[in-house]
């Protein structure tokens, strides 16, 4: 054997010992910045990383804790400003297009074409990752924001059935309160308030007005009485958390549902993934329905990975990553853990849990209303989203503020953003 062959053979033995079984060979490492740090999020990311390793792509983790990506988005900005962008970032919705405008995002047209994304992805998803004719991110999963989780054991013990209307919800809340159980998980974190608000708003306003408010951003529409009703309901929902509502992580809220100290939770279906990661079963321990008034509607947030441009020249590996994460196998494995659903319309979702099947089928049905989340950056940029969330926070924490005053402030935020479309 020639010297080089000996060297290669020795190297392969060494690598065999040094790399985990799923990694066939060492690949090119990609620095991935994201905010998946809870149990289910971590597991879902690890699942992806294992799948990528078999394709020679190494996931170098740069996770920044903080629900809704509040901290991650800031860290990403500062890394880019310092000239040290990660290779891959969890950039979603409008943040993605802003970064693409600055020339920081690598187009993925070649991989999208090779993998026929225009045929296999849901059109709404493809639209979301297409900007000025370029495909600019690899979509991972669709989260359903208008999800109401409930504690099956408590409901069974008290003879309750999951609410289909706000009237039923109120009755259930009262019965839970009488039993000393907190009816609804609540957090004063602004992004969580915004998450609950947009689901209530969709139910009150319906998809047409919701789009005028959130997508077309007509400031005058914010004075509509249906917005007032949504704000009133939001205020009432907050009272259900007890005397002293607090800012708590969404995982702490999910824990209350898990340990029977709360009856219901309104949160994107990643909370379902979390309950499952803790060992809870969606058929025995908890269940899910849509937030009252949003039957047949899908308020979505789509997680996407963008490949950033850098001097490191890792385009081939970045393309490989995009190809793997959109593949049917990775889609099913990742979304099963994450609590989301595949972005592809050609996968068999029969092995997913009931909430996921309903989410995927609603998203797929031509007649459903698919509307984008504001709280999760699908409809407006970071600044508008933060200003809306901050206004909601002010309204909710200052109980003297009339809903109409909050409406005026929200309308002003939208008007000032100059984004009326
Ligand atoms: C969302 C994101 C989800 C989940 C959630 C909680 O913005 O789309 O994947 O991570 O935040 O942090």
């Amino acid at each position: 054997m020639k010297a080089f062959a000996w060297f290669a053979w020795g190297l392969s033995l060494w690598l065999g010992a040094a790399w985990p079984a799923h990694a066939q060979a060492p690949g090119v490492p990609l620095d991935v910045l994201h905010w998946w740090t809870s149990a289910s999020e971590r597991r879902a990311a690890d699942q992806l990383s294992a799948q990528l390793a078999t394709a020679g792509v190494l996931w170098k983790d740069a996770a920044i804790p903080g629900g809704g990506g509040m901290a991650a988005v800031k860290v990403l900005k500062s890394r880019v400003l310092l000239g040290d962008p990660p290779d891959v970032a969890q950039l979603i919705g409008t943040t993605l297009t802003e970064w693409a405008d600055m020339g920081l995002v690598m187009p993925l047209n070649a991989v999208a074409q090779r993998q026929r994304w225009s045929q296999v992805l849901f059109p709404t998803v493809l639209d979301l990752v297409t900007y000025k004719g370029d495909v600019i991110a690899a979509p991972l999963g669709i989260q359903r924001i208008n999800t109401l989780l409930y504690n099956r054991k408590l409901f069974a013990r008290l003879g309750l059935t999951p609410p289909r209307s706000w009237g039923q919800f109120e009755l259930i809340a009262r019965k839970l309160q009488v039993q000393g159980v907190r009816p609804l998980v609540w957090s004063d974190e602004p992004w969580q308030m915004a998450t609950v608000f947009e689901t209530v708003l969709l139910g009150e306003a319906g998809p047409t007005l919701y789009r005028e408010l959130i997508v077309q951003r007509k400031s005058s529409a914010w004075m509509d009485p249906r917005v007032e009703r949504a704000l009133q309901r939001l205020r009432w929902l907050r009272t259900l958390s007890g005397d002293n509502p607090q800012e708590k992580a969404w995982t702490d809220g999910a824990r209350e549902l898990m340990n029977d100290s709360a009856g219901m939770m309104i949160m994107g279906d990643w909370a379902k993934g979390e309950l499952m990661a803790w060992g809870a079963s969606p058929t025995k321990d908890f269940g899910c329905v849509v937030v009252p008034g949003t039957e047949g509607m899908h308020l979505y947030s789509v997680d996407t990975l963008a490949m950033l441009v850098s001097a490191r020249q890792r385009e081939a590996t970045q393309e490989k990553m995009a190809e793997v994460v959109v593949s049917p196998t990775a889609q099913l494995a990742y979304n099963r853990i994450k609590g989301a659903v595949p972005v592809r319309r050609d996968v068999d979702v029969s092995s997913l849990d009931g909430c996921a099947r309903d989410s995927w089928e609603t998203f797929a049905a031509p007649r459903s209303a698919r509307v984008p989340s504001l709280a999760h950056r699908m409809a407006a940029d970071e600044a508008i989203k933060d200003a809306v969330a901050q206004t909601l926070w002010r309204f909710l924490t200052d109980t003297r503020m009339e809903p109409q005053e909050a409406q005026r402030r929200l309308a002003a935020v939208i008007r000032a953003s100059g984004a009326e479309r």
Side-chain angles (χ1 to χ4, degrees):
M1 215 187 275
K2 294 244 166 66
F4 175 73
W6 276 110
F7 170 74
W9 179 71
L11 185 70
S12 72
L13 282 185
W14 178 80
L15 289 172
W19 289 88
H22 56 251
Q24 280 169 349
V28 179
L30 292 182
D31 201 9
V32 189
L33 190 145
H34 61 91
W35 62 84
W36 295 314
T37 50
S38 75
S40 56
E41 291 173 338
R42 192 60 268 166
R43 264 189 221 176
D46 288 348
Q47 163 69 37
L48 277 183
S49 138
Q51 218 134 14
L52 285 159
T54 63
V57 181
L58 298 185
W59 174 295
K60 216 173 121 218
D61 205 71
I64 313 290
M70 300 311 291
V73 169
K74 294 193 177 80
V75 173
L76 177 61
K77 236 180 224 165
S78 75
R79 279 192 61 173
V80 171
L81 288 175
L82 290 170
D84 174 35
D87 301 306
V88 185
Q90 183 186 1
L91 269 184
I92 68 179
T94 46
T95 4
L96 186 57
T97 50
E98 278 166 27
W99 287 67
D101 258 341
M102 291 186 276
L104 298 167
V105 175
M106 181 182 124
L108 294 168
N109 299 328
V111 59
Q113 216 158 17
R114 276 200 305 275
Q115 302 301 317
R116 301 171 25 256
W117 287 6
S118 62
Q119 284 146 60
V120 297
L121 296 186
F122 285 116
T124 310
V125 174
L126 187 67
D127 268 4
L128 208 71
V129 295
T130 306
Y131 185 59
K132 296 188 176 161
D134 286 330
V135 174
I136 51 170
L140 275 176
I142 306 164
Q143 306 273 192
R144 192 176 202 181
I145 309 295
N146 54 325
T147 304
L148 170 68
L149 298 164
Y150 63 94
N151 182 314
R152 273 191 199 274
K153 285 175 290 174
L154 279 175
F155 271 51
R157 198 187 323 136
L158 302 175
L160 305 171
T161 45
R164 296 278 169 193
S165 66
W166 285 115
Q168 291 174 6
F169 184 100
E170 280 172 33
L171 287 176
I172 293 168
R174 240 175 282 144
K175 288 193 180 155
L176 288 166
Q177 252 163 347
V178 169
Q179 297 296 320
V181 175
R182 175 175 290 173
L184 182 74
V185 168
W186 184 268
S187 168
D188 265 357
E189 267 193 344
W191 76 268
Q192 293 194 54
M193 287 177 170
T195 301
V196 178
F197 173 67
E198 64 186 15
T199 70
V200 175
L201 184 68
L202 176 63
E204 285 301 336
T208 308
L209 178 59
Y210 180 93
R211 284 199 186 94
E212 281 178 26
L213 296 163
I214 303 281
V215 183
Q216 289 132 29
R217 298 201 285 279
K218 278 195 195 155
S219 55
S220 58
W222 283 89
M223 295 314 293
D224 193 284
R226 287 167 284 180
V227 177
E228 184 184 345
R229 279 210 299 276
L231 287 166
Q232 264 156 350
R233 190 171 311 285
L234 192 67
R235 183 165 266 172
W236 174 72
L237 289 174
R238 184 171 182 261
T239 65
L240 297 178
S241 69
D243 293 341
N244 199 8
Q246 289 166 8
E247 278 201 22
K248 55 178 105 138
W250 66 270
T251 41
D252 292 339
R255 191 57 82 180
E256 289 176 19
L257 197 70
M258 176 91 176
N259 65 20
D260 304 340
S261 53
M264 297 180 278
M265 178 176 196
I266 296 176
M267 183 49 66
D269 48 8
W270 51 83
K272 175 198 70 176
E274 194 67 4
L275 293 170
M276 288 167 77
W278 294 337
S281 145
T283 51
K284 291 198 199 82
D285 304 312
F286 70 92
C288 72
V289 283
V290 293
V291 171
T294 67
E295 200 73 47
M297 302 176 202
H298 201 298
L299 179 43
Y300 63 83
S301 169
V302 179
D303 276 316
T304 46
L305 289 178
M307 309 298 152
L308 301 190
V309 173
S310 80
R312 284 190 287 271
Q313 309 232 314
R314 297 196 167 144
E315 288 86 350
T317 318
Q318 287 168 311
E319 283 198 347
K320 189 78 204 162
M321 177 180 266
E323 181 186 322
V324 172
V325 302
V326 176
S327 70
T329 342
Q331 280 287 307
L332 277 169
Y334 161 87
N335 282 300
R336 182 173 289 123
I337 305 172
K338 184 68 172 63
V341 295
V343 293
R344 303 179 66 112
R345 40 187 184 169
D346 63 346
V347 288
D348 177 6
V349 292
S350 58
S351 65
L352 298 183
D353 64 83
C355 317
R357 285 200 305 275
D358 187 57
S359 165
W360 190 88
E361 279 156 16
T362 308
F363 198 87
R367 294 155 79 94
S368 310
R370 283 166 291 274
V371 294
S373 159
L374 173 82
H376 298 275
R377 309 177 178 83
M378 296 293 114
D381 65 21
E382 200 72 7
I384 302 179
K385 170 199 76 117
D386 285 347
V388 168
Q390 206 54 40
T391 311
L392 292 170
W393 181 86
R394 194 137 299 288
F395 165 67
L396 289 170
T397 53
D398 176 0
T399 47
R400 288 159 313 171
M401 192 193 290
E402 294 295 329
Q404 280 171 355
E405 173 57 19
Q407 284 179 275
R408 272 192 288 278
R409 292 187 186 199
L410 287 166
V413 163
I414 298 295
R415 202 174 317 111
S417 72
E420 201 147 320
R421 295 190 287 188

